[in-house]
Amino acid sequence: MARQDHILFGVLNWGLGHATRSVPLIRALKDAGFKPVIASDGVALEYLQELFPELPTEELPAYGVRYSNGAFFLNMMMQLPRIGLAVYKERALAAKLLRKYDAKGMVSDNRLGFSNSSVPSAYITHQLNIPVSYPLVNTLHHRYINRFSECWVPDFEGENTIGGALTHTLKPEVPLTFIGALSQLEEQKEAQVEYDAVVILSGPEPQRSLLEKKLLNQLEQLKGNFLLVRGTLSKPDLKTKIPFKNLMVGEEIAQVINRSRLIISRSGYSSLMDYHVLRNKALLIPTPGQVEQEYLAESLMEKKLFYAVSQKKVSLAEDIPRALEYPGFHTNTGIAVDRTALFGLFKGERKS
């Protein structure tokens, strides 16, 4: 049997969004004859280990990003020293992993330090333009992006874009490729409706838990068949009559979404890519202080695709009927992308 070349695949642990959208690329690497080495931390690493028990995994330093209700810029500035230290450790560990596995390339989903000049590398991001009033934020991010060989953007170029200004207004210096929506889920056209609404939580604490508590209190006052997917492996301390699951993955979560009249979730980019594929309706509740989610929720509501409401103002009795009036991504637009062609980077077919 021919030896498989290893590709290091680093994934940011920021809820489950980066982990779920990495799944189709990890599978595509396997299909192309490579052996991915999954590197992450926390719930993202545990999720990918469950999906790919046959692949080697490594733990990376945690960025430990937390969101408060304060201003995004000040919040992130206060956390920069900790993130910077994690990136520094990550870069050193990446060099060790390259030697350990004799890897031929690296893929990083938003892990800033997961590259090395000795091998070709690709950086996956939809955040070419982070919507803040401080140019320094994007300047710093692009400085990291430009350390990679290429930048892969999970979006469609032009009018079918999901990310809008996030992906189309600033360009890095390195070659850029739009690779389409990344989702491991598939639409089930004949699925029977089982739930009136399913809540799917994700993202960093403490906001995940705060929204969980608020939505459960409101759901218990409503009539209907509901389900909560908590998006965490932490031990639940819930006293509720609403059925819940800690985590659901792959086909299981696709079945739940396909069988629900409405999904209630954050307006995270990875969730929106799933909705683009499944064409479901959703009530979007952006994470407070997360300017990207606030932008996406506002943008999609302006396009009359999804109904959105702030966490502070959410009232499910009123918001669920309103959200059902919005069609979602009712047409699966965008041009299919041959993702196996991306991996020519690791075969010497493109300059790194």
Side-chain angles (χ1 to χ4, degrees):
M1 181 177 178
R3 178 185 179 277
Q4 292 180 297
D5 287 333
H6 288 91
I7 301 294
L8 302 184
F9 201 115
V11 180
L12 183 63
N13 177 36
W14 196 311
L16 283 175
H18 293 274
T20 58
R21 77 183 192 184
S22 294
V23 170
L25 283 180
I26 293 172
R27 288 176 174 159
L29 278 167
K30 290 181 61 182
D31 292 343
F34 294 102
K35 187 169 186 178
V37 178
I38 297 171
S40 188
D41 65 280
V43 66
L45 181 59
E46 294 170 345
Y47 175 87
L48 293 169
Q49 285 172 328
E50 184 174 344
L51 277 183
F52 298 102
E54 76 282 5
L55 294 180
T57 59
E58 298 284 349
E59 185 171 4
L60 296 177
Y63 286 17
V65 177
R66 293 177 67 85
Y67 278 111
S68 66
N69 286 316
F72 172 84
F73 181 76
L74 293 178
N75 184 24
M76 294 305 296
M77 288 300 102
M78 292 176 63
Q79 299 182 69
L80 271 184
R82 181 178 66 251
I83 297 172
L85 179 59
V87 171
Y88 175 81
K89 292 180 178 178
E90 176 178 83
R91 190 174 298 280
L93 181 55
K96 293 180 180 179
L97 295 180
L98 276 174
R99 294 191 295 269
K100 177 179 177 179
Y101 292 98
D102 189 24
K104 302 305 180 185
M106 304 176 70
V107 178
S108 169
D109 189 324
N110 270 93
R111 297 212 66 125
L112 302 173
F114 203 70
S115 67
N116 190 286
S117 59
S118 66
V119 295
S121 58
Y123 185 75
I124 302 170
T125 188
H126 61 276
Q127 297 171 318
L128 295 179
N129 178 28
I130 301 171
V132 294
S133 301
Y134 305 91
L136 177 62
V137 174
N138 284 308
T139 298
L140 289 175
H141 190 207
H142 277 248
R143 184 174 297 176
Y144 280 108
I145 295 175
N146 291 329
R147 292 183 177 182
F148 291 78
S149 306
E150 296 183 358
C151 181
W152 298 347
V153 178
D155 196 1
F156 302 100
E157 188 172 14
E159 63 180 11
N160 293 323
T161 176
I162 299 171
L166 297 181
T167 58
H168 281 69
T169 54
L170 291 177
K171 305 294 183 185
E173 295 175 6
V174 296
L176 181 149
T177 303
F178 286 90
I179 63 174
L182 291 177
S183 175
Q184 60 174 316
L185 308 183
E186 295 182 2
E187 182 183 12
Q188 299 173 357
K189 296 183 179 180
E190 304 299 325
Q192 298 295 314
V193 173
E194 181 178 351
Y195 302 103
D196 293 291
V198 172
V199 176
I200 302 178
L201 297 179
S202 61
E205 298 290 0
Q207 293 300 334
R208 190 210 64 81
S209 293
L210 292 174
L211 182 59
E212 178 179 73
K213 181 178 180 180
K214 186 168 190 174
L215 294 184
L216 281 176
N217 288 338
Q218 294 188 22
L219 284 173
E220 290 178 348
Q221 308 304 315
L222 302 179
K223 293 182 180 179
N225 191 19
F226 306 112
L227 176 68
L228 165 68
V229 182
R230 303 183 65 237
T232 179
L233 290 173
S234 65
K235 186 177 180 180
D237 184 22
L238 302 178
K239 297 179 180 179
T240 178
K241 63 182 181 181
I242 304 298
F244 67 86
K245 299 275 190 179
N246 279 345
L247 281 179
M248 302 181 79
V249 300
E251 184 178 348
E252 187 179 20
I253 192 67
Q255 289 178 351
V256 165
I257 294 175
N258 281 309
R259 294 175 182 175
S260 179
R261 297 185 190 279
L262 184 73
I263 300 301
I264 303 171
S265 75
R266 297 298 192 190
S267 50
Y269 194 81
S270 297
S271 296
L272 295 176
M273 288 194 292
D274 287 337
Y275 302 162
H276 185 276
V277 172
L278 298 180
R279 293 188 271 189
N280 57 281
K281 297 183 178 184
L283 168 61
L284 303 178
I285 308 173
T287 302
Q290 221 281 35
V291 291
E292 175 195 307
Q293 290 194 15
E294 291 169 348
Y295 163 78
L296 287 168
E298 181 180 350
S299 173
L300 293 171
M301 191 166 174
E302 287 180 355
K303 293 178 180 179
K304 302 187 184 303
L305 294 176
F306 294 94
Y307 183 73
V309 64
S310 70
Q311 182 168 311
K312 182 179 181 179
K313 295 182 179 180
V314 63
S315 173
L316 294 182
E318 299 175 358
D319 295 329
I320 287 177
R322 291 171 180 167
L324 287 170
E325 296 177 359
Y326 287 69
F329 293 115
H330 48 288
T331 57
N332 193 337
T333 57
I335 300 172
V337 177
D338 179 13
R339 296 191 181 117
T340 58
L342 296 172
F343 308 144
L345 176 66
F346 309 126
K347 299 177 181 179
E349 296 174 6
R350 296 193 298 279
K351 292 183 179 180
S352 61

